[in-house]
């Protein structure tokens, strides 16, 4: 049974652990990042916004109720299935589910909102391409940062205990921040033996690039930034 390290933050980490258990893997829960809500005032949302864009379910989960109430009646463009579901549960009334990729979402809505303003619910740590593409197309993007992503620190002893002193066969990486943290862990003298032969499965090329180039022959990248695709890749290699 392959031992798979799950590095994404909660609540997604527990869902991934359950999915891995159902398909015959031995998941090891080790979140390398966590999300924390940021204070956001409803007055930060301009009156001229005509739609909402969301590229992370966490942006909805951490948004204050006042912000949701202000925006819920506007058309909401979610990056993919999970984010659309989070928006629906939060109270958004009209939701369009995107292709699962932030840049593709930007391309799909750019023409409709050229010359107009949209509210972008997002995290403080985010990839800039989504906003850049929309701004290039003449869309006024008002970023509303509802959460921050923080690195979770572990002692060598805590890692060794979590892994029962045994090597990890694979690690799943869902963000560049977690990939950078994993790289540092894998290089610690007390821990490097646990990760010498570990396969790395990254959700995107950008995330893989944040990991160790020297281990590139053991890195696999999902063809789409979607967990279903990532886990199918894990099953195909195992």
């Amino acid at each position: 049974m392959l031992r798979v390290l799950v590095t994404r933050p909660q609540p997604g980490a527990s869902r991934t652990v359950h999915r891995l258990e159902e398909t015959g893997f031995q998941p090891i829960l080790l979140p390398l990042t966590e999300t924390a809500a940021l204070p956001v005032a409803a007055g930060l949302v301009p009156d001229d916004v005509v739609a909402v864009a969301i590229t992370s379910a966490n942006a909805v989960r951490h948004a204050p109720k006042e912000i949701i109430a202000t925006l819920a009646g506007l058309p909401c463009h979610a990056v993919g299935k999970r984010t659309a579901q989070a928006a629906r549960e939060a109270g958004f009334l009209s939701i369009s589910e995107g292709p699962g990729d932030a840049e593709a979402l930007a391309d799909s809505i750019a023409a409709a909102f050229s010359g107009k303003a949209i509210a972008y619910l997002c995290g403080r740590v985010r990839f800039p391409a989504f906003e850049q593409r929309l701004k290039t197309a003449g869309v006024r993007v008002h970023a509303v940062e509802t959460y921050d992503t923080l690195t979770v620190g572990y002692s060598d002893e805590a890692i060794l205990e979590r892994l029962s002193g045994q090597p990890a066969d694979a690690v799943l990486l869902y963000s560049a921040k977690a990939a950078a943290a994993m790289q540092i862990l894998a290089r610690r003298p007390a821990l490097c033996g646990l990760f010498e032969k570990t396969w790395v499965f990254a959700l995107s090329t950008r995330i893989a690039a944040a990991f160790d180039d020297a281990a590139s022959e053991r890195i696999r990248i999902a063809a789409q930034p979607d967990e279903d695709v990532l886990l199918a890749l894990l099953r195909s290699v195992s």
Side-chain angles (χ1 to χ4, degrees):
M1 185 180 294
L2 288 185
R3 292 158 49 85
V4 182
L5 205 59
V6 179
T7 65
R8 68 186 306 194
Q10 296 287 18
S14 292
R15 290 196 302 270
T16 300
V17 163
H18 180 66
R19 294 188 68 181
L20 289 169
E21 288 173 339
E22 285 187 326
T23 49
F25 293 99
Q26 181 183 342
I28 302 166
L29 185 61
L30 187 75
L32 295 180
T33 60
E34 63 183 3
T35 59
L38 292 172
V40 186
L44 289 177
V45 181
D47 293 334
D48 63 345
V49 298
V50 297
V52 182
I54 312 172
T55 57
S56 166
N58 285 319
V60 184
R61 294 191 188 102
H62 290 298
K65 292 181 180 179
E66 296 78 12
I67 293 287
I68 298 296
T70 299
L71 299 174
L74 297 175
C76 176
H77 296 269
V79 70
K81 178 173 61 177
R82 184 73 65 182
T83 303
Q85 181 61 30
R88 196 171 293 111
E89 292 172 355
F92 281 92
L93 302 176
S94 176
I95 302 164
S96 298
E97 184 179 312
D101 175 84
E103 293 176 64
L105 176 64
D107 291 340
S108 71
I109 67 175
F113 297 110
S114 181
K116 301 176 183 178
I118 68 168
Y120 175 34
L121 296 185
C122 58
R124 179 172 288 169
V125 178
R126 60 189 184 275
F127 191 52
F130 177 78
E131 291 159 272
Q132 289 172 351
R133 291 198 178 201
L134 287 176
K135 289 176 181 177
T136 299
V139 181
R140 299 194 304 279
V141 181
H142 295 282
V144 182
E145 297 178 352
T146 65
Y147 74 101
D148 200 2
T149 302
L150 310 172
T151 301
V152 179
Y154 295 93
S155 66
D156 290 348
E157 291 74 19
I159 299 292
L160 288 166
E161 181 179 356
R162 193 70 62 95
L163 271 71
S164 302
Q166 300 299 313
D169 297 306
V171 58
L172 301 178
L173 298 177
Y174 289 75
S175 72
K177 198 175 186 75
M182 188 66 225
Q183 180 187 44
I184 293 170
L185 279 183
R187 288 179 171 177
R188 287 188 193 174
L191 303 176
C192 59
L194 299 176
F195 302 110
E196 286 178 342
K197 298 181 179 179
T198 301
W199 286 88
V200 175
F201 293 84
L203 199 62
S204 72
T205 301
R206 179 176 60 88
I207 293 169
F211 197 71
D212 189 359
D213 288 339
S216 59
E217 69 277 3
R218 301 190 72 82
I219 292 180
R220 295 293 180 268
I221 303 170
Q224 301 173 30
D226 179 273
E227 186 178 59
D228 289 342
V229 178
L230 183 68
L231 296 185
L233 182 61
L234 172 65
R235 290 192 294 271
S236 70
V237 172
S238 62

